[in-house]
Amino acid sequence: MIKIQKKNFNIDKEIKYLKDKYSNVGAVNTFIGYVRDFNNNKDVKYLDLDVYKEMALKELSKIKNNAFKKWRLVDCLILHRYGRLKVNEKIVLVVCLSEHRKDSFEASKFIMDYLKKDAPLWKKEFYHNDSVWLENSN
Amino acid sequence: MIKIQKKNFNIDKEIKYLKDKYSNVGAVNTFIGYVRDFNNNKDVKYLDLDVYKEMALKELSKIKNNAFKKWRLVDCLILHRYGRLKVNEKIVLVVCLSEHRKDSFEASKFIMDYLKKDAPLWKKEFYHNDSVWLENSN
Amino acid sequence: MIIKYFAWIKDITNKEYDTINNDFPKDINDLKKYLTKIYPDLQKHLSKDILRFAINMEYVSENHNLNQNDEIAIFPPVSGG
Amino acid sequence: MIIKYFAWIKDITNKEYDTINNDFPKDINDLKKYLTKIYPDLQKHLSKDILRFAINMEYVSENHNLNQNDEIAIFPPVSGG
């Protein structure tokens, strides 16, 4: 499942919603990204996250499908927020469900790596006096 | 933090409790292990988890400290349940907090690998007519 | 044809998209010339080849023909996650 | 000295631990002989070297001296996680 949303999420509920469908799942790996208070040597106040929503849904589906081709996954959720996000707020959630732990770990890392590279989302970081559009490094 | 407990846990609450202390955390990797419905070619009814509690606390602390030596972690939780656990119940939770995602992913995997190898915990799996003590493979 | 702008491209164009109904650019190179004309501040970025283009939500890395009903998007390197 | 049993070792000893106050085993090899005597069913496992020993909650892989106040633990390969 792919979700692009403004609103916050509850990690337990998101995982439970997926996990409740499958009794053959032994392993769930989850990644959560948060807004940090300090970046580029400056105190961060908040982020504005811009998104090309329809394309992000398509790109993230593609990344998810590639993960399914490479590992034995039972299910997978990629959730990304957009809009204004303050320090300590959650930005992104990836959840990979598999029978055995190796698949969930590797798929989750793969998805985050490609999300950072290809998903059309942009962070504008606001400091005390200025702001800057960020670019992901490799 | 290391927790060895009988009772269930809420993933969101456990993560929030850790994350709320730090505003410099950008990445949280989480692993959750569940009781699967099928193993050893048999339908599983439930598990009994035996633990050498004091030593498990000590071993898991050691594993956690080794993870801190190898990666830049901000904090870390290892929670393992014991006692009777039914199919679909959560067994283990590992949460690694770091500034950047690589550290949280690798530390979380490292901790699970060593937990599976060295933490003094034993699963007895109950099927329809019989039961068996399990051994982790490598 | 619709041309969508994202992130700091929007700060230059001061709008989220343009629609072109007549005389639309026939390929990406043509589109770059078109954009340079109406948004001179885009030129330095276009010439440095740092922007990414998508046609109908698929990345294109080389020059590519455009059709009347295409949705084109122009944006800087991404920074989600 | 206390000797703790875990997992299926407990199914053989039918108890969780033994305490030895006098004539306690002086090292791990000595302990193995002691256990074989009171729990004959343990012998085949002890001889196959599949069990793990911990002294005061630290793994020991080689023979090791034992002291009166030691807490020894004997268990099969682990299966947590």
Side-chain angles (χ1 to χ4, degrees), chain C residues 8-72:
Chain C
W8 52 258
I9 309 292
K10 270 193 284 204
D11 298 340
I12 292 172
T13 60
N14 272 312
K15 53 170 86 165
E16 301 207 339
Y17 62 90
D18 276 304
T19 47
I20 313 175
N21 293 317
N22 298 306
D23 293 331
F24 57 86
K26 70 177 194 326
D27 58 28
I28 294 285
N29 287 341
D30 213 16
L31 174 69
K32 288 180 184 173
K33 285 178 205 146
Y34 173 89
L35 290 170
T36 302
K37 205 179 293 167
I38 49 173
Y39 305 113
D41 289 348
L42 268 185
Q43 183 171 16
K44 62 173 181 242
H45 307 294
L46 286 166
S47 66
K48 273 194 287 178
D49 241 7
I50 54 168
L51 302 182
R52 295 182 86 170
F53 288 82
I55 303 173
N56 300 321
M57 299 182 267
E58 295 288 339
Y59 285 112
V60 286
S61 50
E62 315 230 312
N63 193 23
H64 202 284
N65 286 341
L66 301 177
N67 296 306
Q68 181 150 17
N69 296 320
D70 283 345
E71 172 173 319
I72 323 294

Side-chain angles (χ1 to χ4, degrees), chain B residues 50 52 62 80 118 121-123, chain D residues 7 58-59 71 76 79 81:
Chain B
D50 194 16
Y52 183 9
K62 213 182 285 176
H80 207 296
D118 285 331
L121 290 136
W122 302 270
K123 283 175 188 150
Chain D
E58 294 289 337
Y59 285 112
E71 173 173 319
S79 52

Side-chain angles (χ1 to χ4, degrees), chain D residues 2 7 15 17 20 32 35 65 75 80-81:
Chain D
I2 183 167
K15 52 170 86 166
Y17 61 90
I20 314 176
K32 287 180 185 174
L35 291 170
N65 286 340
F75 46 75

Side-chain angles (χ1 to χ4, degrees), chain A residues 34-62:
Chain A
Y34 293 84
V35 183
R36 285 189 297 136
D37 62 354
F38 193 77
N39 197 29
N40 284 327
N41 283 314
K42 286 177 184 172
D43 288 328
V44 176
K45 288 167 69 188
Y46 57 85
L47 294 182
D48 275 352
L49 242 151
D50 193 17
V51 60
Y52 183 9
K53 197 169 179 177
E54 301 79 5
M55 183 169 167
L57 289 167
K58 205 166 161 179
E59 257 329 285
L60 293 174
S61 296
K62 214 183 284 177

Side-chain angles (χ1 to χ4, degrees), chain B residues 1-137:
Chain B
M1 194 183 315
I2 313 291
K3 297 182 182 181
I4 310 277
Q5 64 187 47
K6 265 196 172 174
K7 66 170 193 292
N8 197 7
F9 54 87
N10 178 292
I11 302 162
D12 203 88
K13 278 186 192 159
E14 295 292 341
I15 295 174
K16 194 171 154 43
Y17 179 81
L18 289 170
K19 172 63 186 77
D20 278 357
K21 300 180 199 166
Y22 313 100
S23 294
N24 61 333
V25 166
V28 173
N29 188 274
T30 297
F31 179 83
I32 311 131
Y34 293 85
V35 183
R36 284 189 296 137
D37 61 356
F38 194 76
N39 197 28
N40 284 327
N41 282 315
K42 286 177 185 172
D43 288 328
V44 176
K45 287 167 71 187
Y46 57 85
L47 293 182
D48 275 353
L49 241 152
D50 194 16
V51 61
Y52 183 9
K53 197 169 180 176
E54 301 81 3
M55 182 168 168
L57 288 167
K58 206 166 161 177
E59 259 325 288
L60 293 175
S61 296
K62 213 182 285 176
I63 294 169
K64 188 190 130 177
N65 292 342
N66 285 338
F68 268 83
K69 277 180 212 153
K70 289 173 94 84
W71 291 281
R72 280 191 61 183
L73 296 178
V74 175
D75 206 341
C76 172
L77 165 70
I78 310 175
L79 186 166
H80 207 296
R81 294 176 68 193
Y82 64 95
R84 182 153 299 184
L85 298 175
K86 283 178 289 189
V87 169
N88 291 321
E89 282 206 69
K90 287 171 277 192
I91 306 169
V92 61
L93 173 71
V94 171
V95 184
C96 290
L97 293 76
S98 58
E99 287 185 29
H100 304 287
R101 76 185 186 289
K102 194 169 177 286
D103 300 279
S104 70
F105 267 105
E106 293 180 1
S108 178
K109 186 172 183 310
F110 171 90
I111 288 169
M112 275 310 300
D113 287 350
Y114 276 88
L115 185 156
K116 287 257 182 190
K117 212 177 136 287
D118 285 331
L121 290 136
W122 302 270
K123 283 175 188 150
K124 188 178 192 178
E125 211 161 53
F126 289 81
Y127 316 106
H128 184 60
N129 280 317
D130 56 344
S131 63
V132 67
W133 285 98
L134 303 181
E135 273 184 34
N136 282 340
S137 49

Side-chain angles (χ1 to χ4, degrees), chain A residues 63-81:
Chain A
I63 294 169
K64 188 190 129 178
N65 292 341
N66 285 337
F68 268 83
K69 277 179 211 153
K70 289 172 93 86
W71 292 282
R72 278 191 62 183
L73 296 178
V74 175
D75 208 339
C76 172
L77 165 69
I78 310 175
L79 186 166
H80 207 297
R81 293 175 69 192

